[in-house]
Amino acid sequence: MRSKTLQIFLILLGVLFVALMLLLPLATVLAYALRQGWRIFAAAITDNYAVKALNLTLLAAGITLVVNTTFGIFAAWAITKFRFRGKQALTTLIDIPFSISPIIAGLVFILIFGRIGWAYPLLEAWKVKIVFAVPGIVLATIFVTFPFVSRALIPLMQSQGSDEEEAAALMGAKGLEIFRKITFPHIKWGLLYGVILCTARALGEFGAVSVVSGHLRGKTNTLPLHVEILFSEFRLTAAFAVASVLVVIAVIILILRNIVEYRLKKEEE
Amino acid sequence: MYVELKNLNKRFGGFQASDNISFGIEKGKLIGLLGPSGSGKTTILRMIAGLETPDSGDIFIAGDRVNDLPAAKRGIGFVFQNYALFRYMTVFDNIAFGLTVQKRDKEYIRGRVSELIKLIGLEKMEKRHPHQLSGGQRQRVAFARALAPNPHLLLLDEPFAAIDAKVRKELRSWLRETINKVGITSIFVTHDQEEAVEVADEIIITNSGRVEQVGTPIEIYKNPKTHFAAKFIGESITLADYDKLHGFEKVKGFDRAVLRPEFVHITKVQKELYPHASQRGIVENIFFKGNTLELRVDLGGQKITAYQSLDDASFSVGEEVSVLIYRLYLLGENEVRLEENHSIKSEGSFFI
């Protein structure tokens, strides 16, 4: 009887917390965005700068995805299927972006590639611009979302062990063939899970990108930065309208994530 | 010698997994590598296969030194402890894998795989996935997969460990027969002495990274060369004061003795045959073992174990019985000696 009461209490607490902390703010965003009607909303999100910001966000997320997926697979592969010195250190290093504030990550890039950075003369000579330009935004996004794919893969690949790979290697299969035929079918759902999380984080990244972007409207402004600019200009409706675009993307990703998670669980059974 | 290991050493960090391993295996033999877990038997197997690289020493297969040959080029079939079947492939694709990698033509592959499926008796199951098979069936598939590319040497790592007791017995004799039929030189690793004795032509006993003894099961049983071999093969107990047993005297340099249950004969006190060679003990416990009874007897402070047929006279706990010990293995510094009960002999001549 008591456990029943406890159960109801815990569920209520959970629901209340989620409603207050998550649903209410999200609903507010949407409500505020639509406060002045569809026309204003549509105008805000089809605004030239908003569209350019969305494009830049998608571009940065896209490049990040390719880079981090490739890196994540290789890192997870190396860590789980081989024995080498310093493996533990590598595993820990990969997690650094999770424990460092994104602002610091942004500052690091300024200190390396910015006007005061040691790599600046080199970049100047090659006429490459990183800080306050698109490459800087991409680099910052990559840094912040670095561990997602490898983190999703490592436990999965560890639990699988390397017996099947060894068996395949003993029969003469080469590295890529082993990966394609043996390893990949096992990790595909886990990989997709990592990729989705990585995408979600990349699309919403604010801190690190804010430092290196320079907020040049139409040039180095991503969608989250655009929201902030609108907000600080007291154009609240427009700010919330653009924010609602991010919310919708997030919800879609959330649904995808759940589908993949479901498949992943089924796979494990 | 078809397979020969010479002074093989392997160390994992501070752990000496192989300590100067040397032995040879004749062509066509079925060899059991027997030892407790952590004794280095799997490491030996993996070094032969090329899955581990020895720190020093040489491995020869068919007269060629294979140390620098990659695993795939050694002509070895390997059956993993948990089979390591490719879980996303069907039975057919699993068995065909080695041949597909070699890019053999489709017709040949189909022929060879169905031949092997027939050999392992899994016809009509080609399309199943590993998780749809029983443990015994998976083991057979792993076996067929290892044989498909026609290896010269088959290595099996604890082939029966993951299978329940009843199926294990069946599978043992099946594996033995099938390996004989195929006629391939094979080495299997096991920690189960019963399994090694039953399946292997020859046993190699390993302990803490070293080879203790090599020989046929009977040889090792009858003539254990080291302490470890004497204690490991057969159910045995070690006794310190073996000179307190009637019919045995302390031999200099041999401090302890190994006693196996089959060396002990227990009778009712009234039916004692050799009064001088026997002594009295008290039955402490009786265990029913299915087809025999196991008796624990207290012999003046030393506990011994004996077997009793179910047809023999029945004993009860606390009963005083006559205990006759035929023989013992005496353990010396570096040798093992078989010692017979000398009172039986003298008494025997008395009767005649």
Side-chain angles (χ1 to χ4, degrees), chain A residues 105-131:
Chain A
L107 285 175
V108 166
F109 285 109
I110 298 270
L111 285 177
I112 298 173
F113 303 116
R115 206 171 273 280
I116 47 165
W118 54 264
Y120 189 73
L122 217 63
L123 297 173
E124 192 80 327
W126 290 338
K127 301 214 181 311
V128 182
K129 224 170 138 42
I130 290 187
V131 166

Side-chain angles (χ1 to χ4, degrees), chain A residues 166-173, chain B residues 72 86 94-95 97-99 101-102 145-146 149:
Chain A
E166 273 185 350
L170 258 179
M171 286 187 269
Chain B
F86 306 134
N94 262 283
I95 300 175
F97 189 85
L99 301 169
V101 167
Q102 289 175 5
R145 184 180 70 177

Side-chain angles (χ1 to χ4, degrees), chain A residues 83 159-174 177-178 181-182 185-188 267, chain B residues 12 46 49 51-52 71-72 76 78 80 82 84-89 94 97-98 100-103 145 149:
Chain A
R83 280 197 308 248
S159 77
Q160 190 198 15
S162 44
D163 278 6
E164 286 179 46
E165 277 89 353
E166 273 185 350
L170 258 179
M171 286 187 269
K174 295 279 179 299
E177 193 175 15
I178 294 176
K181 287 188 173 166
I182 313 293
H186 184 77
I187 61 165
K188 59 182 176 202
E267 201 90 322
Chain B
F12 294 109
R46 290 173 64 88
L51 293 171
E52 301 286 354
I76 283 172
F78 199 102
F80 287 81
N82 299 308
L85 292 179
F86 306 134
R87 65 190 92 177
Y88 294 95
M89 291 185 199
N94 262 283
F97 189 85
T100 317
V101 167
Q102 289 175 5
K103 304 214 164 38
R145 184 180 70 177

Side-chain angles (χ1 to χ4, degrees), chain A:
Chain A
M1 200 58 214
R2 256 182 69 168
S3 75
K4 191 83 188 162
T5 328
L6 184 67
Q7 185 188 356
I8 292 170
F9 173 73
L10 286 177
I11 291 173
L12 270 180
L13 196 71
V15 168
L16 202 69
F17 191 77
V18 169
L20 267 177
M21 300 300 295
L22 300 175
L23 295 180
L24 188 67
L26 285 184
T28 312
V29 169
L30 289 176
Y32 217 103
L34 293 167
R35 196 175 51 148
Q36 288 168 306
W38 281 103
R39 278 249 299 270
I40 305 286
F41 177 82
I45 63 170
T46 52
D47 170 68
N48 190 23
Y49 289 137
V51 171
K52 278 195 169 157
L54 177 64
N55 286 342
L56 180 59
T57 297
L58 292 178
L59 175 75
I63 296 174
T64 300
L65 209 60
V66 173
V67 172
N68 281 350
T69 303
T70 315
F71 167 80
I73 291 173
F74 285 146
W77 200 6
I79 284 167
T80 55
K81 308 286 173 177
F82 297 93
R83 280 197 308 248
F84 57 90
R85 204 177 276 270
K87 184 155 132 176
Q88 200 53 49
L90 182 65
T91 318
T92 314
L93 284 177
I94 289 175
D95 280 346
I96 280 184
F98 276 170
S99 51
I100 282 187
S101 159
I103 298 282
I104 295 170
L107 285 175
V108 166
F109 285 109
I110 298 270
L111 285 177
I112 298 173
F113 303 116
R115 206 171 273 280
I116 47 165
W118 54 264
Y120 189 73
L122 217 63
L123 297 173
E124 192 80 327
W126 290 338
K127 301 214 181 311
V128 182
K129 224 170 138 42
I130 290 187
V131 166
F132 303 143
V134 176
I137 292 170
V138 174
L139 277 180
T141 314
I142 288 175
F143 182 95
V144 171
T145 59
F146 200 61
F148 279 101
V149 173
S150 56
R151 272 290 126 198
L153 292 183
I154 287 170
L156 199 62
M157 289 167 84
Q158 242 154 14
S159 77
Q160 190 198 15
S162 44
D163 278 6
E164 286 179 46
E165 277 89 353
E166 273 185 350
L170 258 179
M171 286 187 269
K174 295 279 179 299
L176 206 63
E177 193 175 15
I178 294 176
F179 182 77
R180 197 164 51 82
K181 287 188 173 166
I182 313 293
T183 314
F184 184 73
H186 184 77
I187 61 165
K188 59 182 176 202
W189 290 108
L191 179 64
L192 196 58
Y193 183 74
V195 163
I196 288 173
L197 284 183
C198 180
T199 314
R201 188 76 176 78
L203 288 173
E205 174 49 25
F206 178 81
V209 168
S210 167
V211 178
V212 294
S213 136
H215 304 266
L216 303 173
R217 252 187 248 204
K219 277 191 180 156
T220 63
N221 223 12
T222 64
L223 215 50
L225 298 182
H226 190 59
V227 173
E228 197 221 3
I229 290 178
L230 291 173
F231 187 78
S232 55
E233 285 169 353
F234 299 106
R235 291 164 61 191
L236 295 190
T237 313
F240 280 110
V242 174
S244 71
V245 173
L246 280 172
V247 170
V248 169
I249 294 177
V251 169
I252 293 172
I253 288 174
L254 195 71
I255 292 167
L256 280 179
R257 199 201 77 135
N258 274 330
I259 294 172
V260 170
E261 206 168 53
Y262 174 73
R263 290 302 303 256
L264 207 64
K265 277 217 185 90
K266 246 177 102 177
E267 201 90 322
E268 271 166 20
E269 278 160 14

